[in-house]
Amino acid sequence: MKYYKKSTLFLSKENDNIICLACQRKCLIKNKASGACGVRINIDGQLYVPWGYFSSLNIDPIEKKPLYHFLPGSKTLSFGMYGCNFFCLYCQNWQISQIKNNEINLSKNFYKYKDITPVDFHKIMIENDIMIAVSTYNEPTVTIEWAYDIFSNLKMKNINFKTGFISNGYLSKEAFDFILPVLDFIKIDIKVFNYHKFNKLTGANFDLFLDSVKYITSKYIHVEFVNLIVEEFNDDEKDFNLMVDFILSISNEIPLHLTAFHPDYNMLDKKNTSPLVIEKLIDIARKKGLKYVYGGNYISSYSDTLCPSCGKVIIQRGYMSVIKNDVYINNSKGFCPYCKYEVYGVWC
Ligand code: SF4
């Protein structure tokens, strides 16, 4: 069992059955079987979870996540494993996310895996002068124990290391409480704000997703939302307005990124999203009161940060990069340099 370790995130049931507690699916897993994500397995009443490898490891700008209000312009060491608890028709990382246990042959995988330990990971961070580690590419929830071991080792070495999840947000309370002590930010993908479309796209339950988001955002952690816009799927203004209302009910400070779709995986019948569609939705969200709404996956001034008070550009961005950051830092908080308005985020 080289690539697995025992987890305690489960409940024991009769006949060596267990319930995995990592995500809102709470799968009942029979002995010698795996949960819906395909990578968490029951062996004789114990839960074994992925550990000790990566399927992808890259140095990415934090803007690529996308994350605009957390140490802009920083490099991240971004890692992924295999598996996901969603089955999104348009998944852009399906080669690693949709692999199941019985398809994982770690000796000759489609995407090259590599052995690694938390100690090696720390070494790579130091060698490349990187202070932010991100669990991404596949869904971090299904490999949460591995992220915990990476993140806690980093923070033990130096408390200034920062860590994050790029997630679909479908974590259980148990899982989020488990990772929260070593997690600084989470980017949550709101796929579509409609019960039936959400289920059709992801195979998951929309109400349970909303419960997760409410729980996560009730805690002290930096959050940003993303919504990948697919024309004639989730660009419906009625659903979009409901989504913005939901975000406003949490906070008008949380950044929202509206990103442009390109055809992938099992959604090849839809076209590339027009920037005009994105920008129309951005204007709606801004008018309703969200302070920071961005366009992504294409180059435009809609990726700049405007001061919500005086309207001046305070961070100018290029494609997944920062051209100019004028945020003024005082007592660890960020302010508009022109009118001194406090800007949501982590700046130092
Ligand atoms: S992470 Fe979610 S999908 Fe995977 S086994 Fe656990 S409850 Fe099931």
Side-chain angles (χ1 to χ4, degrees):
M1 293 288 290
K2 184 175 174 192
Y3 295 102
Y4 288 88
K5 77 174 270 190
K6 270 189 192 176
S7 169
T8 53
L9 267 177
F10 74 96
L11 288 177
S12 296
K13 296 304 234 186
E14 288 168 0
N15 303 325
D16 278 345
N17 292 337
I18 61 172
I19 293 180
C20 173
L21 296 177
C23 88
Q24 292 285 50
R25 288 187 185 276
K26 303 252 169 96
C27 298
L28 175 70
I29 312 177
K30 292 187 175 164
N31 195 9
K32 309 281 189 267
S34 61
C37 59
V39 292
R40 299 170 70 83
I41 51 179
N42 174 357
I43 297 176
D44 300 334
Q46 298 293 316
L47 177 64
Y48 284 79
V49 296
W51 203 92
Y53 74 89
F54 62 80
S55 64
S56 322
L57 187 74
N58 295 300
I59 298 173
D60 288 339
I62 196 150
E63 284 69 25
K64 190 176 173 185
K65 303 296 111 191
L67 219 77
Y68 283 3
H69 288 240
F70 193 97
L71 302 176
S74 299
K75 290 187 290 187
T76 70
L77 189 57
S78 295
F79 62 95
M81 301 181 92
Y82 298 116
C84 188
N85 51 353
F86 279 13
F87 313 112
C88 300
L89 301 172
Y90 56 42
C91 184
Q92 291 165 10
N93 290 333
W94 59 272
Q95 296 96 331
I96 57 171
S97 72
Q98 299 304 314
I99 292 181
K100 307 290 178 213
N101 252 342
N102 55 5
E103 296 161 340
I104 296 178
N105 178 350
L106 288 165
S107 61
K108 47 178 174 154
N109 217 315
F110 323 123
Y111 261 57
K112 269 197 181 143
Y113 79 97
K114 199 167 181 329
D115 289 6
I116 192 169
T117 66
V119 172
D120 299 331
F121 194 93
H122 172 252
K123 203 165 154 233
I124 299 170
M125 298 275 285
I126 296 292
E127 281 168 0
N128 292 280
D129 196 21
I130 298 172
M131 291 304 292
I132 305 176
V134 186
S135 181
T136 178
Y137 308 130
N138 73 314
E139 170 54 40
T141 312
V142 305
T143 50
I144 196 166
E145 295 83 357
W146 171 236
Y148 181 90
D149 287 353
I150 297 251
F151 294 167
S152 54
N153 181 60
L154 288 174
K155 285 185 178 286
M156 226 161 48
K157 296 271 191 320
N158 181 346
I159 197 65
N160 292 321
F161 279 119
K162 305 291 184 202
T163 63
F165 268 18
I166 305 305
S167 174
N168 58 31
Y170 209 56
L171 291 87
S172 68
K173 283 184 184 174
E174 292 87 345
F176 192 65
D177 289 345
F178 167 74
I179 198 73
L180 185 59
V182 293
L183 194 69
D184 297 294
F185 68 80
I186 182 165
K187 190 221 73 179
I188 298 175
D189 197 344
I190 303 178
K191 308 277 179 184
V192 50
F193 211 82
N194 175 296
Y195 188 93
H196 296 291
K197 285 182 180 174
F198 187 89
N199 179 258
K200 191 176 165 204
L201 178 75
T202 67
N205 181 292
F206 183 59
D207 290 337
L208 292 176
F209 166 72
L210 294 185
D211 288 348
S212 294
V213 173
K214 286 180 204 159
Y215 188 69
I216 291 167
T217 51
S218 72
K219 302 291 176 183
Y220 187 74
I221 185 167
H222 179 83
V223 179
E224 302 197 19
F225 290 124
V226 70
N227 181 207
L228 180 73
I229 301 295
V230 184
E231 286 185 52
E232 294 175 359
F233 176 67
N234 64 353
D235 61 339
D236 177 282
E237 284 188 25
K238 188 166 156 267
D239 290 345
F240 185 78
N241 273 295
L242 289 173
M243 182 184 76
V244 174
D245 290 341
F246 173 73
I247 297 172
L248 285 168
S249 74
I250 299 168
S251 165
N252 59 0
E253 301 271 351
I254 300 179
L256 171 64
H257 303 260
L258 303 180
T259 51
F261 163 87
H262 66 262
D264 213 325
Y265 191 39
N266 287 326
M267 202 183 261
L268 300 172
D269 56 327
K270 303 284 186 199
K271 58 183 181 185
N272 285 53
T273 305
S274 156
L276 293 177
V277 171
I278 302 259
E279 286 159 17
K280 189 177 83 178
L281 296 174
I282 290 174
D283 290 341
I284 291 173
R286 285 181 177 170
K287 277 194 190 119
K288 284 181 81 85
L290 277 181
K291 291 182 183 174
Y292 310 102
V293 191
Y294 300 102
N297 286 355
Y298 67 100
I299 300 170
S300 83
S301 61
Y302 279 87
S303 61
D304 293 343
T305 299
L306 310 179
C307 170
S309 177
C310 69
K312 293 201 170 117
V313 175
I314 51 178
I315 304 177
Q316 189 190 3
R317 295 187 179 82
Y319 188 66
M320 296 182 188
S321 63
V322 170
I323 294 170
K324 194 161 174 272
N325 180 357
D326 289 331
V327 171
Y328 162 77
I329 298 164
N330 188 13
N331 270 339
S332 304
K333 292 179 174 168
F335 299 90
C336 170
Y338 308 105
C339 70
K340 307 291 181 272
Y341 184 86
E342 186 179 343
V343 186
Y344 172 83
V346 173
W347 307 102
C348 62

